Amino acid sequence: MEEVRLADNISEGQVQVRTLYLSVDPYMRCKMNEDTGTDYLAPWQLSQVVDGGGIGVVEESKHIHLAKGDFVTSFYWPWQTKAILDGNGLEKVDPQLVDGHLSYFLGAIGMPGLTSLIGVQEKGHISAGSNQTMVVSGAAGACGSLAGQIGHLLGCSRVVGICGTHEKCLFLTSELGFDAAINYKNGNVVAQLQESCPTGVDVYFDNVGGDISDTVISQMNRNSHIILCGQISQYNKDVPYPPPLSPAAEAIQKERNITRERFTVLNYKDKFQPGLLQLSQWFKEGKLKIKETVINGLENMGVAFQSMMTGGNIGKQIVCISEASSL
């Protein structure tokens, strides 16, 4: 942490913003490598301010389309309490979409929500009434907790979540409507999966990779589909993305004709606006339950990031920098 003074004046096209909320997400682990493994993520630079998803309020504007009091968001928001930013890099948001819960723009009504919705729509091949079973790993996280609910909303007859604590399992089944939940740290995952998915697995929303994914793949049906959202168990390892499957899992994938294509939500920008409207509508109708884990203070960004990477959060991990209500 360091304290610096912002410039007294802003230039044409710029705005001064006060940060309200910052996001920490698994993809950020890749930005800590010299090579992120993707062409759309630049590595964080040494001695430069870290950035990521953020939302704030405009306090001063010299941008034609932004005024004082507007709420704005960006994927490249600096980890600062206040900042001077190029207004062209900001997107104005409507608080009514989230019933005033501005942090939701960094989660369920933002990139994680779009990742879950578009991922299930584009790669899940769900058809209502066809009795499909969906399994979600990392099911209590930002994307997983939404993906399972979306699976039900789009027509899956059974949704099973995999997570790492009894508390999370209970949350999935009692609050989010999952049909069953498996604690992978407790008991035989293979047996629990067989019991929870008696007709096999048709759609797998994969957030974690590694041994968990190998286990799920072993129980997937012929012509089933893997939605490759994330591989958080592999991000500390020096492997390409997406990491290769184990030889046994790869053999099953080929033999059963299971699709496993890399999914990048940024390739579907034309679907962002209708997607956000759909997510907002489901939220307002009470069909999509949203959960956040909130930590306060810019000084706790590192704590929040480490907690998220080790499963300390339920739902989206958010850091509150300053409250909107103090306007």
Side-chain angles (χ1 to χ4, degrees):
M1 291 275 287
E2 63 177 337
E3 200 164 310
V4 295
R5 185 182 174 87
L6 289 180
D8 291 330
N9 298 309
I10 62 173
S11 306
E12 281 302 316
Q14 290 185 324
V15 294
Q16 182 176 312
V17 293
R18 176 163 55 83
T19 307
L20 299 175
Y21 300 99
L22 292 173
S23 175
V24 291
D25 302 278
Y27 78 84
M28 291 175 168
R29 175 59 186 85
C30 305
K31 289 172 75 74
M32 297 167 82
N33 299 336
E34 215 167 335
D35 177 5
T36 64
T38 67
D39 50 6
Y40 57 88
L41 282 182
W44 285 330
Q45 299 299 309
L46 291 175
S47 78
Q48 298 296 310
V49 178
V50 176
D51 65 0
I55 189 162
V57 62
V58 175
E59 294 194 317
E60 189 184 340
S61 176
K62 285 192 177 176
H63 189 277
I64 189 167
H65 297 305
L66 297 172
K68 184 177 179 179
D70 284 348
F71 295 107
V72 288
T73 186
S74 169
F75 197 55
Y76 304 101
W77 197 285
W79 288 8
Q80 298 176 197
T81 54
K82 294 194 176 191
I84 293 172
L85 303 174
D86 177 358
N88 290 334
L90 300 171
E91 185 182 345
K92 188 175 168 181
V93 292
D94 178 4
Q96 287 188 322
L97 271 181
V98 291
D99 278 350
H101 297 278
L102 291 167
S103 57
Y104 288 3
F105 284 121
L106 299 179
I109 320 294
M111 202 57 78
L114 287 170
T115 301
S116 304
L117 175 62
I118 298 170
V120 174
Q121 284 176 329
E122 295 294 319
K123 301 291 186 183
H125 302 278
I126 294 167
S127 55
S130 56
N131 209 30
Q132 288 164 297
T133 295
M134 178 181 188
V135 169
V136 183
S137 58
C143 284
S145 61
L146 299 169
Q149 297 180 78
I150 290 166
H152 263 321
L153 287 165
L154 295 182
C156 275
S157 59
R158 187 164 180 79
V159 175
V160 176
I162 303 174
C163 53
T165 69
H166 176 67
E167 179 195 7
K168 289 179 178 179
C169 287
L170 205 57
F171 166 69
L172 294 178
T173 53
S174 63
E175 292 191 44
L176 300 190
F178 280 63
D179 298 286
I182 295 166
N183 179 354
Y184 71 88
K185 294 179 181 175
N186 186 15
N188 185 323
V189 177
V190 175
Q192 292 179 77
L193 202 56
Q194 286 170 339
E195 188 182 332
S196 302
C197 310
T199 59
V201 178
D202 302 295
V203 184
Y204 174 38
F205 196 96
D206 185 6
N207 284 305
V208 302
D211 293 343
I212 296 291
S213 290
D214 288 355
T215 302
V216 176
I217 290 167
S218 72
Q219 300 195 26
M220 292 186 74
N221 293 325
R222 184 159 185 77
N223 302 322
S224 54
H225 305 281
I226 298 169
I227 303 163
L228 196 56
C229 178
Q231 303 279 282
I232 194 169
S233 73
Q234 306 297 299
Y235 289 165
N236 281 338
K237 299 177 183 175
D238 187 15
V239 293
Y241 187 86
L245 291 170
S246 69
E250 191 176 353
I252 291 169
Q253 183 204 347
K254 286 180 178 170
E255 180 195 327
R256 299 182 193 167
N257 193 36
I258 300 168
T259 64
R260 182 183 184 257
E261 300 160 349
R262 183 173 183 166
F263 169 69
T264 305
V265 72
L266 296 174
N267 293 339
Y268 298 89
K269 287 184 177 173
D270 58 316
K271 299 186 187 299
F272 281 14
Q273 210 49 47
L276 290 173
L277 291 173
Q278 177 66 83
L279 291 161
S280 170
Q281 183 185 336
W282 279 337
F283 159 59
K284 289 182 176 182
E285 291 171 351
K287 293 176 180 174
L288 193 66
K289 303 285 195 307
I290 298 174
K291 174 74 173 173
E292 292 179 322
T293 299
V294 181
I295 292 179
N296 292 313
L298 185 68
E299 69 278 6
N300 288 317
M301 290 299 292
V303 173
F305 178 75
Q306 286 183 302
S307 175
M308 177 272 305
M309 286 296 291
T310 51
N313 57 302
I314 295 183
K316 180 78 180 89
Q317 178 74 68
I318 291 286
V319 181
C320 176
I321 306 301
S322 65
E323 294 285 359
S325 57
S326 58
L327 283 171

